[in-house]
Structure formats: structure tokens, C-alpha cells
């Protein structure tokens, strides 16, 4: 069972991982689809906005009780679907969906899935490392 404090720590960690991965995805997609386009400093806010928007479903689906594996997978699928919808409508924008090429729109969706999976893997690695440290501390305390 995860406390509210632990969940908040995990949410903040996930946010920064997502912002970093979104920055990389934006750079790659920009180089591929719009290499001639240049941005001002305001463009630095886009990954933060995407990160904040993608945390909404994660925060909403928080549970104080331990989930079964099936419940966990169902929540993960719902989170991914929610993030896709929120980022397509809120981040990418309806206008871009209408005017961008199909390959750009599909690449955007695929990049969301890749960022989601990588963020989940990285968060899992961080959590596993934290668990190992805690186990080691408990073993030392028992001695």
C-alpha cells in the first residue's frame, strides 16, 4: 500500500521523467517533420505542459488499496488511453489534427506510447532501486 507522501514523490519523479522524454520526442519529431521551423524561449514550456497534462490521469487513478495484477494492467491501459486523448485534444490541438499530415499525427500518437512505456520502465527501475536500498537498511538494522 502506498502512502499519499510516497505517491506524491512518485508523481513528481514521473513528471520529471516524462518532461525529459517529451523534450527528446519533440526534438526527434521536429527534426523529422519540421526541420526548418525555429522556436523562441516559450517553446521550453511545451514539454512542461505535456508533462502536466499527462499527470492528470495518473493522479486520478491513484488507489490507496493494493491492486491485483489484472486491475493494475487495466488501470495502465486506461491511463495510456486517457493520456492519448488529453494530449491529442489539449496538447496537440484539434487544429493540428485537422491540418497535420497523417504521418505526423500517427507519429505523435506513437511518441506518446513510447514516452509512456519508457517513463513506466524508468519509474519501475527507480522504485526497485529504492526497495533494494530499503531492504539493505532493514537488514543492517536487524544486525
Amino acid at each position: 500500500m502506498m502512502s499519499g507522501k510516497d505517491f506524491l514523490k512518485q508523481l513528481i519523479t514521473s513528471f520529471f521523467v516524462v518532461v525529459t522524454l517529451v523534450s527528446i520526442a519533440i526534438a526527434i519529431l521536429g527534426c523529422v517533420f519540421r526541420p526548418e521551423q525555429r522556436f523562441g524561449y516559450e517553446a521550453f514550456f511545451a514539454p512542461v505542459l505535456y508533462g502536466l497534462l499527462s499527470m492528470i490521469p495518473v493522479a486520478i487513478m491513484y488507489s490507496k488499496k493494493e491492486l491485483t495484477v489484472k486491475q493494475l494492467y487495466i488501470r495502465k491501459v486506461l491511463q495510456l488511453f486517457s493520456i492519448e486523448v488529453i494530449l491529442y485534444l489539449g496538447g496537440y490541438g484539434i487544429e493540428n489534427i485537422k491540418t497535420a499530415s497523417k504521418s505526423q499525427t500517427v507519429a505523435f500518437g506513437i511518441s506518446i506510447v513510447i514516452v509512456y512505456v519508457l517513463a513506466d520502465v524508468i519509474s519501475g527501475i527507480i522504485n526497485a532501486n529504492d526497495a533494494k536500498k530499503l531492504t539493505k537498511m532493514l537488514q543492517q538494522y536487524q544486525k
Side-chain angles (χ1 to χ4, degrees):
M1 184 166 19
M2 185 182 296
S3 72
K5 184 179 176 182
D6 291 335
F7 177 72
L8 185 60
K9 179 183 172 191
Q10 185 178 6
L11 192 65
I12 291 169
T13 302
S14 294
F15 169 77
F16 286 112
V17 169
V18 167
V19 168
T20 301
L21 293 171
V22 165
S23 297
I24 294 167
I26 288 173
I28 292 169
L29 291 175
C31 287
V32 170
F33 292 107
R34 296 181 181 175
E36 72 287 343
Q37 192 168 1
R38 298 293 176 245
F39 299 101
Y41 288 112
E42 68 279 353
F44 286 104
F45 292 114
V48 175
L49 174 66
Y50 286 129
L52 287 171
L53 289 173
S54 68
M55 291 297 112
I56 294 169
V58 175
I60 290 172
M61 295 195 186
Y62 167 68
S63 174
K64 289 186 178 185
K65 68 178 187 130
E66 194 71 30
L67 300 174
T68 65
V69 174
K70 183 178 178 181
Q71 289 172 328
L72 181 66
Y73 284 126
I74 289 171
R75 281 185 185 229
K76 292 286 185 184
V77 169
L78 288 173
Q79 282 178 352
L80 177 57
F81 178 74
S82 300
I83 290 169
E84 286 275 358
V85 170
I86 288 170
L87 291 182
Y88 264 116
L89 297 179
Y92 195 61
I94 294 173
E95 195 59 38
N96 278 336
I97 293 172
K98 291 177 183 176
T99 60
S101 70
K102 287 187 180 173
S103 60
Q104 284 178 314
T105 305
V106 170
F108 181 77
I110 291 170
S111 70
I112 294 170
V113 173
I114 291 169
V115 167
Y116 179 82
V117 169
L118 287 175
D120 203 41
V121 168
I122 291 169
S123 293
I125 291 168
I126 291 169
N127 290 339
N129 286 336
D130 288 346
K132 285 179 186 176
K133 288 177 188 174
L134 186 59
T135 302
K136 190 179 254 184
M137 288 172 50
L138 287 171
Q139 288 172 341
Q140 288 175 348
Y141 177 75
Q142 289 174 344
K143 291 179 181 181

